């Protein structure tokens, strides 16, 4: 690191492999989404199934909002400064996460889940592209396509449950 009166120059090395902490903190937050969906299916039609589904939806929204913040945080360390694509992606992810929270509060689980599925799918598709462009860590090119389908499939199953529920 070089620090002078005009700023700081950083020299870093990013591994292409997925660091073990990224595995723990990448897949770990996906587990409550998958488990919540499984429990909602198991409780389908029984007391508390609605609450389990709602809490799973709210948790998934909070993680999507966190991932939007991660995208913004990474932009601070992007060579050449934040890129327009990083800011646009962050705003879209944030909008989808916030929109899903608003929809959930209004009792509209189906639109909320649709927004979450779109947001998680976007990360799974866009992060490998952004990794090649130097806009996110290289490891995200391998991590996100493995991580995001857990959320997408789980939320799609929860959406199916909501679409077929009698209430």
């Amino acid at each position: 690191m070089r620090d002078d009166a005009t700023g700081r120059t950083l020299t870093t090395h990013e591994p292409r492999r997925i660091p073990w902490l990224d595995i723990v903190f990448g897949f770990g937050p996906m587990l409550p989404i998958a488990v919540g969906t499984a429990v909602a299916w198991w409780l389908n039609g029984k007391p508390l199934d609605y609450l389990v589904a709602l809490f799973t939806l709210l948790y998934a929204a909070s993680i999507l909002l966190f991932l939007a913040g991660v995208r913004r945080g990474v932009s601070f360390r992007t060579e050449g400064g934040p890129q327009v694509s990083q800011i646009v992606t962050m705003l879209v992810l944030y909008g989808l996460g916030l929109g899903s929270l608003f929809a959930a509060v209004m009792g509209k689980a189906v639109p909320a889940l649709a927004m979450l599925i779109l947001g998680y799918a976007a990360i799974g598709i866009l992060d490998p592209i952004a990794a090649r462009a130097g806009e996110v860590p290289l490891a995200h090119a391998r991590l996100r396509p493995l991580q995001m389908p857990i959320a997408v499939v789980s939320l799609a199953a929860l959406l199916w449950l909501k679409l077929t529920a009698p209430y």
Side-chain angles (χ1 to χ4, degrees):
M1 179 175 71
R2 189 174 51 94
D3 202 353
D4 61 31
T6 61
R8 179 180 297 160
T9 301
L10 302 172
T11 303
T12 63
H13 175 77
E14 282 184 341
R16 290 189 187 279
R17 64 171 179 70
I18 303 170
W20 74 271
L21 274 178
D22 285 10
I23 292 170
V24 171
F25 292 116
F27 290 103
M30 297 298 110
L31 292 179
I33 299 171
V35 170
T37 297
V39 171
W41 270 85
W42 183 64
L43 291 174
N44 189 15
K46 297 177 186 160
L48 301 180
D49 70 338
Y50 175 79
L51 283 178
V52 170
L54 178 62
F55 287 146
T56 302
L57 189 159
L58 294 174
Y59 173 81
S62 71
I63 295 298
L64 185 60
L65 289 167
F66 172 79
L67 291 170
V70 166
R71 180 58 71 103
R72 176 62 179 130
V74 169
S75 76
F76 290 118
R77 293 293 183 165
T78 301
E79 189 173 350
Q83 304 297 306
V84 171
S85 59
Q86 289 172 306
I87 302 304
V88 169
T89 302
M90 179 269 302
L91 289 171
V92 168
L93 294 175
Y94 186 79
L96 289 169
L98 192 61
S100 69
L101 284 177
F102 287 155
V105 167
M106 299 300 290
K108 306 292 184 191
V110 170
L113 288 163
M115 285 185 264
L116 290 172
I117 291 167
L118 181 60
Y120 282 102
I123 293 170
I125 293 166
L126 295 176
D127 267 18
I129 297 166
R132 287 189 288 278
E135 296 174 0
V136 301
L138 279 172
H140 287 197
R142 295 180 62 209
L143 174 67
R144 297 300 194 221
L146 299 172
Q147 176 192 24
M148 292 302 123
I150 297 169
V152 170
V153 169
S154 298
L155 294 167
L158 196 55
L159 176 61
W160 180 258
L161 184 65
K162 284 296 179 186
L163 288 172
T164 59
Y167 49 85

